[in-house]
Amino acid sequence: QVQVVESGGGVVQPGRSLRLSCAASGFTFSNFAIHWVRQAPGKGLEWVGVISYDGRNKYYADSVKGRFTFSRDNSRNTLYLEMNSLRAEDTAVYYCARGLAVAATYFDYWGQGTLVTVSS
Amino acid sequence: EIVLTQSPDFQSVTPKEKVTITCRASQSIGNRIHWYQQKPDQSPKLLINYASQSFSGVPSRFSGSGSGTDFTLTINSLAAEDAATYYCHQSSALPITFGQGTRLEIK
């Protein structure tokens, strides 16, 4: 069955970096865009950005542009989110979600999320 | 950025009641609205895509309607397991945005 599994979360100090991973299985990973969505504790959903099926196109929310970078390794069915210059407001559960495309798509499968806490 | 406004923010309802959640977009988005259910400590789950298409395996009591700027998620004959927060999501333009969520409490 379709699965996406995030990992790499943890506690990190402000200004430091962290890399999240999203491992996929049960579908042809290289055919799908993957979106990142985060949820601060007790808050709603916030789109972080997307990487296209081939990794050539990436779009970021303004709140993370210039600090976060998406990449993917289709040979390993794995996606990466490199987060730099982390801020307290980046504290959230980070989900990866499968999309048919970069835009004009719904998210049919989500991972269980990984918690990132930015705190000194 | 397209802003999505859901109403109500919170509703306390009894089992078997009919529930309607609305989502209004700040500009016309055609049918590019999708609905998710999120239970506590779980990831969101897709219920409805493109305003009215039920996702595979979703109970038939969930339905969606609307186009342009006004959309509705309807739950007919509410079940106890429907206690959750519901979000709308627009995919008409980047950045993708979500509504603020509607929390349903079962009395």
Side-chain angles (χ1 to χ4, degrees), chain A residues 35-72:
Chain A
H35 295 251
W36 287 94
V37 177
R38 68 183 181 183
Q39 186 170 36
K43 301 298 184 182
L45 302 171
E46 179 190 12
W47 181 76
V48 175
V50 59
I51 184 167
S52 62
Y53 70 98
D54 59 359
R56 292 185 179 184
N57 296 301
K58 306 167 192 177
Y59 300 92
Y60 300 89
D62 285 347
S63 57
V64 306
K65 200 173 295 182
R67 299 187 300 121
F68 288 13
T69 303
F70 307 134
S71 61
R72 64 190 295 161

Side-chain angles (χ1 to χ4, degrees), chain A residues 39 95 104-107 110-111, chain B residues 36 38 43 49-50 87 89 91:
Chain A
Q39 186 170 36
Y95 298 102
T105 184
Y106 49 87
F107 306 148
W110 299 60
Chain B
Y36 302 86
Q38 185 179 33
S43 56
N49 61 79
Y50 294 112
Y87 294 94
H89 147 219
S91 62

Side-chain angles (χ1 to χ4, degrees), chain A residues 39-40 42-45 95 110, chain B residues 6-11 13 19 21 34-47 62 73 75 78 80-89 98-106:
Chain A
Q39 186 170 36
K43 301 298 184 182
L45 302 171
Y95 298 102
W110 299 60
Chain B
Q6 290 182 230
S7 62
D9 291 332
F10 171 80
Q11 191 168 5
V13 292
V19 172
I21 299 170
H34 320 290
W35 292 94
Y36 302 86
Q37 176 193 66
Q38 185 179 33
K39 296 183 180 180
D41 298 320
Q42 293 186 18
S43 56
K45 290 180 169 54
L46 178 66
L47 296 173
F62 292 93
L73 174 70
I75 311 174
L78 193 78
E81 63 263 31
D82 298 336
T85 300
Y86 294 82
Y87 294 94
C88 57
H89 147 219
F98 293 89
Q100 81 276 16
T102 294
R103 186 164 73 89
L104 286 188
E105 174 191 85
I106 310 299

Side-chain angles (χ1 to χ4, degrees), chain B residues 6-81:
Chain B
Q6 290 182 230
S7 62
D9 291 332
F10 171 80
Q11 191 168 5
S12 183
V13 292
T14 55
K16 298 188 180 181
E17 193 174 334
K18 178 180 175 180
V19 172
T20 299
I21 299 170
T22 65
C23 178
R24 174 163 288 177
S26 59
Q27 64 189 71
S28 181
I29 57 173
N31 70 341
R32 292 179 176 177
I33 200 80
H34 320 290
W35 292 94
Y36 302 86
Q37 176 193 66
Q38 185 179 33
K39 296 183 180 180
D41 298 320
Q42 293 186 18
S43 56
K45 290 180 169 54
L46 178 66
L47 296 173
I48 303 289
N49 61 79
Y50 294 112
S52 61
Q53 298 179 22
S54 294
F55 186 57
S56 174
V58 173
S60 59
R61 62 182 179 274
F62 292 93
S63 63
S65 64
S67 66
T69 59
D70 294 303
F71 302 89
T72 300
L73 174 70
T74 300
I75 311 174
N76 283 299
S77 193
L78 193 78
E81 63 263 31

